[in-house]
Amino acid sequence: MGRFKSILGYTSAVLAFLVIPATFIGLNYFSSKLVSVTGIKVSPRFTGGEVIKTVDHNTYKTLIHRPVFDGLIGERQNGFIQINWERQNNWPQIIEEKIDYNRDNLEDFFISIETKTGKATLTAYNPSVVGIGQTYVLKSGCAARILLKKQ
């Protein structure tokens, strides 16, 4: 019995010696694999939601995400829409653009954003557009979250 315990102890020590470095080395791989197996997705409140429309302006691209009203149990009364501008050639200092986020062929708001500072101004044409939530200056461009209320 004593010999069995010592073999079991040495075997578990060797396995732990192999598993611990493998876990540290493959941490990114194992975590992404575990998430993909479980089907868990990052909340659109953090990612901005799926991109529903991309407009190429030759010097930059505008990526319009879907409106996000997602809550833990159901939909919220207040949400946002995220707009990303991806830099390409000759990135302009100020981007001015009218956005139709609900695809009814009517502009819902006009946004002007300084690409270096992220300072933005908004003019709402749709009553569901409340204001600017946050602006971000990113490595690949800039982004803004426009606050919405449910109609």
Side-chain angles (χ1 to χ4, degrees), residues 23-42:
T23 303
F24 283 115
I25 292 169
L27 187 62
N28 288 336
Y29 171 76
F30 292 131
S31 62
S32 64
K33 197 70 170 175
L34 179 65
V35 169
S36 67
V37 167
T38 59
I40 296 172
K41 294 191 315 188
V42 178

Side-chain angles (χ1 to χ4, degrees), residues 98-116:
K98 292 180 179 178
I99 304 289
D100 172 24
Y101 78 86
N102 55 9
R103 296 194 237 177
D104 62 354
N105 295 325
L106 298 172
E107 284 95 15
D108 296 307
F109 59 88
F110 170 81
I111 188 165
S112 174
I113 186 166
E114 294 180 24
T115 56
K116 287 186 179 178

Side-chain angles (χ1 to χ4, degrees), residues 7 10 12 18 31 44 48 50 54 58 69 82 110 113 115 123 126 144 147 149:
I7 289 174
Y10 283 118
S12 63
L18 296 174
S31 62
E50 300 83 22
T54 302
N58 293 327
F69 290 98
Q82 183 167 317
F110 170 81
I113 186 166
T115 56
T123 305
N126 184 333
L147 302 176
K149 66 179 177 183

Side-chain angles (χ1 to χ4, degrees), residues 12-77:
S12 63
V14 168
L15 288 176
F17 183 75
L18 296 174
V19 167
I20 291 172
T23 303
F24 283 115
I25 292 169
L27 187 62
N28 288 336
Y29 171 76
F30 292 131
S31 62
S32 64
K33 197 70 170 175
L34 179 65
V35 169
S36 67
V37 167
T38 59
I40 296 172
K41 294 191 315 188
V42 178
S43 170
R45 296 197 73 78
F46 294 103
T47 63
E50 300 83 22
V51 175
I52 59 170
K53 185 177 180 183
T54 302
V55 180
D56 191 355
H57 301 278
N58 293 327
T59 57
Y60 64 94
K61 282 185 179 177
T62 304
L63 297 126
I64 303 170
H65 294 249
R66 74 168 173 88
V68 175
F69 290 98
D70 300 9
L72 183 61
I73 297 173
E75 290 197 350
R76 298 177 180 203
Q77 289 299 313

Side-chain angles (χ1 to χ4, degrees), residues 126-139:
N126 184 333
S128 63
V129 177
V130 176
I132 298 173
Q134 293 240 311
T135 60
Y136 307 95
V137 176
L138 308 170
K139 191 185 303 181

